[in-house]
Amino acid sequence: MPMFVDTSPPGACIFCRLIAGDIPAARVYEDAQTIAFMDLGQVTPGHVLVASKRHAPTLYELSPEEAGAVMATAQRVAVAVRAAFDPPGLTLLQANGALGGQTVGHFHLHVVPRYEGDGVSFTWLRQEPGPDVLNAYAERLRQAWGPAQG
Ligand SMILES: [Zn+2]
């Protein structure tokens, strides 16, 4: 996991400053609600970040409209990445909170082209607790269901 975490307040975080044009970025696309730019880290060639223009720290603070807009932009970026880089695979990654792997406290989504032997790894330990536990988890979520955030 990256060690760097930017927890700057709204307007002062590095993505807000990038959106405002105060710091340079290799911009790919922008519209009223979203911006797409090349990740400085380039995990693989063609790695793009899609961010909300409004400072929303995580997925939880996005409006439903912003959530839809970032996914629509991510899809457009993916189509462009496929046309320009022709990767055999592509991964979307979106992290929330330090424990979730988030390093900049302004909502963003990674569009990562994937190539054979690219070194990207994602440990995913399968557990199969069985239908009773799954149904209990689903019931907890149904009970917790509420209005969309934003
Ligand atoms: Zn910000």
Side-chain angles (χ1 to χ4, degrees):
M1 283 294 173
M3 302 301 286
F4 162 75
V5 178
D6 182 354
T7 57
S8 302
C13 87
I14 59 173
F15 287 175
C16 282
R17 291 164 55 208
L18 183 155
I19 291 162
D22 294 341
I23 56 177
R27 295 175 183 232
V28 174
Y29 172 80
E30 69 181 287
D31 59 27
Q33 292 188 298
T34 68
I35 184 168
F37 52 95
M38 305 311 296
D39 190 312
L40 285 175
Q42 289 298 287
V43 166
T44 60
H47 177 186
V48 173
L49 296 183
V50 178
S52 58
K53 278 200 167 166
R54 184 178 67 84
H55 182 90
T58 71
L59 178 67
Y60 302 116
E61 291 83 20
L62 287 183
S63 69
E65 293 74 22
E66 288 170 320
V70 294
M71 184 53 80
T73 296
Q75 186 194 33
R76 293 186 67 180
V77 168
V79 169
V81 164
R82 184 176 61 178
F85 292 87
D86 195 27
L90 184 132
T91 299
L92 297 184
L93 178 69
Q94 198 280 310
N96 299 281
L99 197 60
Q102 185 177 18
T103 57
V104 176
H106 179 133
F107 175 91
H108 60 284
L109 189 157
H110 295 258
V111 180
V112 185
R114 300 299 305 279
Y115 306 92
E116 187 71 35
D118 62 18
V120 175
S121 66
F122 191 65
T123 304
W124 189 277
L125 301 175
R126 272 183 68 92
Q127 301 180 49
E128 298 185 15
D132 290 346
V133 172
L134 295 182
N135 285 325
Y137 289 164
E139 178 59 21
R140 284 174 64 177
L141 292 171
R142 287 192 296 269
Q143 292 295 322
W145 208 257
Q149 301 297 305

